[in-house]
Amino acid sequence: MDTIPDTSSYMTAGFIVTFVTMGIYVLSLYIRNQNLKRDVDTLESLQAEKPKSKK
């Protein structure tokens, strides 16, 4: 009978690549959320400074 090849190193490498990719994605979402909050604050401050026009 043939022996089963040891592919545990490939499995470990696959898990590492997967978790690193997910970590980068979560970090990207966090940074995008921070930028979105900053943009909302900027828009709110611009809206507050804008004089109301009378018609």
Side-chain angles (χ1 to χ4, degrees):
M1 291 192 75
D2 293 331
T3 59
I4 298 173
D6 182 22
T7 59
S8 61
S9 60
Y10 292 112
M11 182 184 71
T12 304
F15 277 123
I16 290 172
V17 168
T18 301
F19 286 121
V20 167
T21 303
M22 285 191 296
I24 291 171
Y25 179 66
V26 168
L27 181 64
S28 170
L29 290 176
Y30 176 77
I31 291 171
R32 289 177 187 198
N33 189 32
Q34 294 299 321
N35 290 339
L36 183 62
K37 286 180 182 178
R38 187 180 63 223
D39 290 346
V40 168
D41 290 341
T42 302
L43 289 173
E44 287 175 348
S45 68
L46 288 174
Q47 184 69 26
E49 292 175 3
K50 183 178 178 182
K52 301 197 186 237
S53 61
K54 295 181 181 178
K55 290 186 176 186

